Every structure is written in C-alpha cells, then in structure tokens.
Amino acid sequence: SQTIHQWPATLVQPVGSPLSLECTVEGTSNPNLYWYRQAAGRGLQLLFYSVGIGQISSEVPQNLSASRPQDRQFILSSKKLLLSDSGFYLCALTPKAFFGQGTRLTVV
Amino acid sequence: AQSVAQPEDQVNVAEGNPLTVKCTYSVSGNPYLFWYVQYPNRGLQFLLKYITGDNLVKGSYGFEAEFNKSQTSFHLKKPSALVSDSALYFCAVRPPPLNTGFQKLVFGTGTRLLVSP
C-alpha cells in the first residue's frame, strides 16, 4: 500500500533562517507529487507539483522552492524564511490522492 | 481550468440528524472527485472518491456522496451525524488521466462541520 512520510511534524524557525521539509513516498513509483500550504486552518493552496525527477512546476511566486532529487522524494526549501511562510504544509501524491500528516511551521 | 466550490463555510447539525456538505465542480471531461476530512493539526484523510460507475459512492465512517453530472455536484452525506464527525471537510477534483501532461488536483476552500450533542 502507498504511504507518505513527512517530517518534521512541527517546526519553529526564526525569520531569515533556512528551511527544508522532506516528503518521501512508499509503495508506488513515478507518482505525481504536490506541496500544499494551509493557512489559518482553511483552504489548501497548491505551491508546487512534480511529475518526475527534476521536474518542478510552481503555482505561485513566493519565497519557497521545491526539488525532486529522487523519484519518491520531494523537498520544500527556503533560503530565508519570512513570517508569512508560517502555515501547515502538506505533501500529497496522485493518482491515489493520498496526503502526508503535514508539518506545522511557525516562523518567529 | 478546473475548480471546486464549497458554498458553505460551516454546517451545523444535531447529533443523529442527517448531514449534507455541498460541493460543485467545473472540469473538462469526466471528473475524478474526492472528499477528505481533516481533524485539528492533522493531515487530510481520504473519505471517498468517484471515478466512474454508480453515482452513489460509499466511503469511510458511514459517509457517502452522490455524483450528479447535470448539476455538476458531488455532495457529501451521512444519514445520522455523530459528534465525532465534527471536522473540516474538503472536496477536490481533477480531470481524468491523459496520455501526457499533468492533471492538477484542485481543492475547495473547505467546510467546517459542527455536530452538536
């Protein structure tokens, strides 16, 4: 069965510090992978998606970047965090449309 | 481009009563439709999906959803609500797979369900 692992579960980082959130999947190959951000416990904003290794598409301009160094690994990064980067970050895969448990990021 | 609308920010229902959470969609071709539930500080949990076949789809925790192509709707329902059903519910849509290209999974803004004892 397919599973998604996200870590860490929670993270508190100072403004201006770097960020690296990792998402790995098991039980499938060549998935489409997504990073979403959820602010204030409501709607999901699609940040990035990837159809394969090294292939990243950005949905909105922002302070974040994504990389896919391996087929089942999807990384969300920032060189310098802003307060507005705070939120709940979710990794997902299709076609089964599974989600990871999320990372709660608080930028202070 | 596909889109999803969840017209209600919040739905209130008494325990034991039936519940409906509304969702309408817009997509080219035959849609793949999903419902998810999110509990506080947790990831999204899959409830059910419609791809093809019977318009009434049964899912986890006693939930079901009815696909209505003419009304482009996919409302979530449960015959008898439980207090533990209180959570945030998301509807999502994506177009059917193509030989090439990427099919984006798009979410509604979510509906908060509150079930009172």
Side-chain angles (χ1 to χ4, degrees):
Chain A
S1 63
Q2 298 176 4
T3 56
I4 302 178
H5 301 281
Q6 269 189 260
W7 65 92
T10 60
L11 189 61
V12 179
Q13 292 283 98
V15 169
S17 64
L19 172 73
S20 181
L21 301 182
E22 189 161 345
C23 168
T24 60
V25 303
E26 295 178 357
T28 185
S29 59
N30 198 31
N32 291 332
L33 295 173
Y34 304 72
W35 277 111
Y36 288 89
R37 177 169 59 199
Q38 185 180 33
R42 293 311 300 261
L44 292 161
Q45 180 186 33
L46 179 61
L47 300 176
F48 301 95
Y49 60 89
S50 171
V51 300
I53 296 173
Q55 300 179 65
I56 308 295
S57 295
S58 175
E59 281 294 292
V60 293
Q62 57 211 324
N63 185 42
L64 303 168
S65 62
S67 62
R68 187 163 174 182
Q70 300 180 44
D71 181 48
R72 286 175 276 187
Q73 185 183 31
F74 200 26
I75 298 172
L76 184 69
S77 303
S78 174
K79 293 182 179 179
K80 290 185 178 181
L81 283 169
L82 305 172
L83 288 174
S84 57
D85 292 324
S86 295
F88 192 48
Y89 289 83
L90 291 158
C91 179
L93 70 85
T94 60
K96 291 287 188 179
F98 287 155
F99 279 80
Q101 288 301 300
T103 296
R104 168 91 41 212
L105 171 66
T106 303
V107 183
V108 296
Chain B
Q2 65 263 34
S3 64
V4 176
Q6 291 181 244
E8 304 152 314
D9 282 347
Q10 184 165 306
V11 170
N12 298 306
V13 65
E15 187 173 34
N17 284 357
L19 69 87
T20 299
V21 182
K22 295 180 180 177
C23 171
T24 58
Y25 66 89
S26 173
V27 70
S28 299
N30 296 318
Y32 284 22
L33 294 157
F34 305 83
W35 274 103
Y36 294 86
V37 60
Q38 185 181 34
Y39 297 99
N41 295 312
R42 301 296 301 273
L44 273 67
Q45 295 180 33
F46 172 81
L47 280 179
L48 52 81
K49 67 180 178 183
Y50 172 83
I51 295 178
T52 187
D54 193 347
N55 289 344
L56 186 63
V57 179
K58 294 189 182 298
S60 306
Y61 313 121
F63 284 93
E64 58 189 27
E66 186 169 10
F67 171 63
N68 187 317
K69 189 171 184 177
S70 64
Q71 297 184 8
T72 62
S73 67
F74 189 56
H75 301 331
L76 182 70
K77 300 180 180 182
K78 187 173 183 179
S80 178
L82 300 173
V83 173
S84 57
D85 292 330
S86 298
L88 189 57
Y89 290 80
F90 289 96
C91 182
V93 66
R94 73 174 180 91
L98 301 174
N99 290 330
T100 60
F102 178 78
Q103 286 76 51
K104 192 187 309 181
L105 182 62
V106 174
F107 284 82
T109 52
T111 298
R112 191 167 302 282
L113 173 66
L114 291 178
V115 181
S116 54

